[in-house]
Amino acid sequence: MSTEAQQVGRRVFIHTLGCQMNVYDSGKIHAQLQRDGYQSTADPREADLILVNTCSIRERAVDKMHSALGEYRRMKREGQPVVIGIAGCVAQERGEELLARYPDVDLVFGPDGVPHVQRLVAEASTGSRVLDTDFLDLENYPFVADVDPSTHGVSAFVTIQKGCDNKCTFCIVPATRGAEASRPHAEIVAEVRALVDRGVQEITLIGQNVNSYGLKVPGELTFAQLLYAVAEVPGVRRIRYTTSHPRDMGDDVVQAYRDLPALASHLHLPVQSGSNRVLRRMKRFYTRERFLEIVGKLREARPGMLLTTDVIVGFPGETDEDFEATMTLLEEADFVGSFSFKYSPRPGTPALKLEERDPVRPEVASARLTRFQERQRERSLALHRSLEGTEVDDVLVEGPSRHDEGVVCGRTSRHVMVNFPGDIGLVGQIVPVRITRGFTHSCRGERL
Ligand code: SF4
């Protein structure tokens, strides 16, 4: 389809907020628009098309969207001939409201609009205002095959599903990304091959709840079987995945840690709370005991495995005792890192009713978050310090250090970030390093 863009070499600037799914979707948007001749630009002032790919997981993320839009709308008011679009979860959640609020925004589309972004942009470029927040049919869901043209380096995300069928009471994702659809494994393997051909060696499989992959599709692989299939692709040296749901973590996945050396010795396993009472109110459908049982099985299958997690503090009705249970779980599960937040009421989520009846005072929630994060930092520092003087033989070099000249950085299979003096030519190699210094979030080393 040749468009005006092809003739004049239009430029697109995509501002991505939020999670890996959004990063991945922005890559797919870019790949498709490139078919129409759009080139990516890192400078919004040069752009003919500006898209803000938004996140609504917490109110703070929504605020970031409004302030970014303020900037881009000012550029337009000052005469820049640019089409402005809002994509992602806030677009899905508040589509009509955003179009009404921002008269100079031309296009608003939800995550299910990504597969037909070319049509939406072409329509908006003719001057008509476009809104698309329809969910697509799950049957033969049109996952985008194009590889993100900006993919370079050793690591890349590959989506295996869209949406989520769970109903965690605090979460807005099912409302913004719709019901779950699993991507045919042949498409996933094909994308992995295409990425390996581009020099990628580490694949991160992404989805809202990867463990339920394929369960609804007769004849499709299970998640564990998919891990084996990806591990068979020549050139794949490391496999990671996110996001897992403890309830669906089966023994077949645990077995994969015995069988697949490429499977990374690190897992991000969101627990959200250490209290069974709170887990019930969150509708997470596992207990603290079950969570620890899974952790035990994973570590038995892959000794030395490191775990990170997600935690919400201040969930409606959370008592001091509940919070103490989260603090003790931090120790018992031996988390080396975590993303932790205060509960953020999300529009249309079931927890809002709980919040009305049983809110946790903001200062109490803040104090709990501070205490949790302090203890987590202590633990992360202790873990990295404990590596001082040891040799790690599996640092996959990702690129130059962001801070120091002549220093490169990479991660071990256990997801430990290591910076060490080295030449950029090491990128893509797995090298042995002696750890010389441990910090809160990374280590310093010297190449062996
Ligand atoms: S599993 Fe729960 S927290 Fe995760 S995306 Fe689905 S509903 Fe949200």
Side-chain angles (χ1 to χ4, degrees):
M1 171 167 73
S2 76
T3 66
E4 194 189 334
Q6 246 157 352
Q7 287 109 32
V8 296
R10 296 255 170 126
R11 283 158 294 180
V12 56
F13 173 81
I14 306 178
H15 183 150
T16 304
L17 300 167
C19 67
Q20 292 107 332
M21 291 305 283
N22 265 10
V23 173
Y24 185 83
D25 283 350
S26 291
K28 294 296 176 178
I29 290 172
H30 183 200
Q32 294 173 91
L33 291 178
Q34 196 184 42
R35 285 203 232 139
D36 288 344
Y38 278 91
Q39 294 306 317
S40 171
T41 174
D43 183 350
R45 287 165 300 199
E46 293 180 348
D48 305 285
L49 170 66
I50 294 177
L51 296 176
V52 183
N53 194 359
T54 61
C55 168
S56 61
I57 205 78
R58 275 172 292 280
E59 202 52 29
R60 228 156 112 225
V62 179
D63 296 342
K64 284 185 185 161
M65 171 201 72
H66 288 300
S67 67
L69 278 173
E71 190 54 31
Y72 305 138
R73 294 174 53 238
R74 183 182 55 71
M75 291 175 187
K76 190 169 184 171
R77 281 197 305 279
E78 290 173 357
Q80 182 173 337
V82 63
V83 170
I84 299 179
I86 306 173
C89 292
V90 186
Q92 182 67 39
E93 184 208 330
R94 310 179 192 183
E96 289 191 19
E97 178 199 323
L98 290 170
L99 269 187
R101 176 170 173 174
Y102 295 122
D104 42 15
V105 164
D106 310 284
L107 167 63
V108 175
F109 61 100
D112 272 20
V114 169
H116 42 255
V117 68
Q118 291 169 270
R119 176 173 59 74
L120 297 174
V121 167
E123 215 179 311
S125 303
T126 62
S128 50
R129 304 187 73 209
V130 179
L131 172 66
D132 182 357
T133 52
D134 298 339
F135 283 122
L136 299 177
D137 190 2
L138 298 179
E139 201 74 27
N140 304 320
Y141 185 86
F143 289 93
V144 180
D146 306 54
V147 169
D148 173 359
S150 65
T151 300
H152 59 272
V154 297
S155 301
F157 297 140
V158 175
T159 197
I160 67 170
Q161 63 188 170
K162 77 102 197 179
C164 185
D165 288 347
N166 292 317
K167 295 280 179 281
C168 305
T169 56
F170 54 83
C171 185
I172 200 166
V173 170
T176 58
R177 286 188 170 270
E180 183 193 307
S182 289
R183 188 181 185 191
H185 71 272
E187 288 183 23
I188 296 169
V189 172
E191 185 166 339
V192 170
R193 285 188 200 290
L195 289 166
V196 168
D197 291 348
R198 282 167 166 260
V200 170
Q201 301 179 48
E202 178 181 78
I203 297 291
T204 300
L205 303 176
I206 57 173
Q208 307 296 344
N209 174 15
V210 294
N211 298 94
S212 61
Y213 172 81
L215 295 182
K216 289 197 310 187
V217 187
E220 184 52 273
L221 300 182
T222 64
F223 180 58
Q225 290 167 336
L226 179 65
L227 289 174
Y228 286 84
V230 170
E232 275 164 24
V233 176
V236 171
R237 301 178 78 182
R238 197 164 283 171
I239 303 170
R240 301 184 187 276
Y241 57 85
T242 192
T243 302
S244 268
H245 195 301
R247 187 195 59 188
D248 302 322
M249 176 63 77
D251 290 345
D252 53 351
V253 175
V254 173
Q255 182 59 34
Y257 282 94
R258 291 190 187 87
D259 301 341
L260 303 176
L263 200 48
S265 301
H266 160 259
L267 178 62
H268 186 72
L269 192 60
V271 70
Q272 305 298 358
S273 174
S275 153
N276 286 340
R277 199 178 76 85
V278 173
L279 289 171
R280 271 195 306 280
R281 291 160 71 84
M282 287 177 164
K283 288 203 172 15
R284 292 289 287 175
F285 300 110
Y286 52 83
T287 61
R288 171 200 182 90
E289 293 73 21
R290 170 65 185 146
F291 184 86
L292 288 168
E293 185 195 335
I294 295 166
V295 168
K297 286 184 175 185
L298 287 166
R299 289 199 167 123
E300 187 264 324
R302 182 67 68 91
M305 185 172 192
L306 295 182
L307 285 179
T308 53
T309 195
D310 294 344
V311 161
I312 293 174
V313 302
F315 186 79
E318 183 187 63
T319 62
D320 289 346
E321 193 194 346
D322 293 325
F323 176 63
E324 286 313 320
T326 297
M327 289 302 291
T328 55
L329 186 68
L330 173 58
E331 311 298 328
E332 261 184 79
D334 187 17
F335 294 126
V336 294
S338 54
F339 299 104
S340 50
F341 305 93
K342 286 184 286 184
Y343 167 68
S344 175
R346 307 314 303 135
T349 55
L352 280 184
K353 286 213 172 42
L354 302 174
E355 170 77 353
E356 281 156 23
R357 277 202 307 272
D358 222 348
V360 172
R361 295 202 319 279
E363 63 278 11
V364 171
S366 298
R368 287 176 182 168
L369 186 63
T370 303
R371 190 171 143 218
F372 182 89
Q373 290 180 340
E374 261 166 21
R375 181 62 192 138
Q376 181 65 79
R377 270 194 295 277
E378 286 167 7
R379 295 184 53 80
S380 307
L381 179 59
L383 178 265
H384 292 118
R385 283 261 170 86
S386 72
L387 297 174
E388 290 175 359
T390 67
E391 295 175 3
V392 289
D393 61 0
D394 62 347
V395 177
L396 174 56
V397 182
E398 294 172 5
S401 156
R402 275 181 291 148
H403 310 295
D404 305 317
E405 197 70 29
V407 171
V408 292
C409 69
R411 285 180 192 275
T412 68
S413 175
R414 302 205 305 162
H415 212 244
V416 172
M417 170 69 85
V418 184
N419 295 289
F420 62 98
D423 177 73
I424 201 69
L426 291 173
V427 171
Q429 295 185 34
I430 293 186
V431 298
V433 173
R434 175 180 301 111
I435 304 295
T436 53
R437 183 82 189 280
F439 302 99
T440 304
H441 300 297
S442 67
C443 290
R444 183 94 182 177
E446 56 194 20
R447 180 148 179 239
L448 290 172

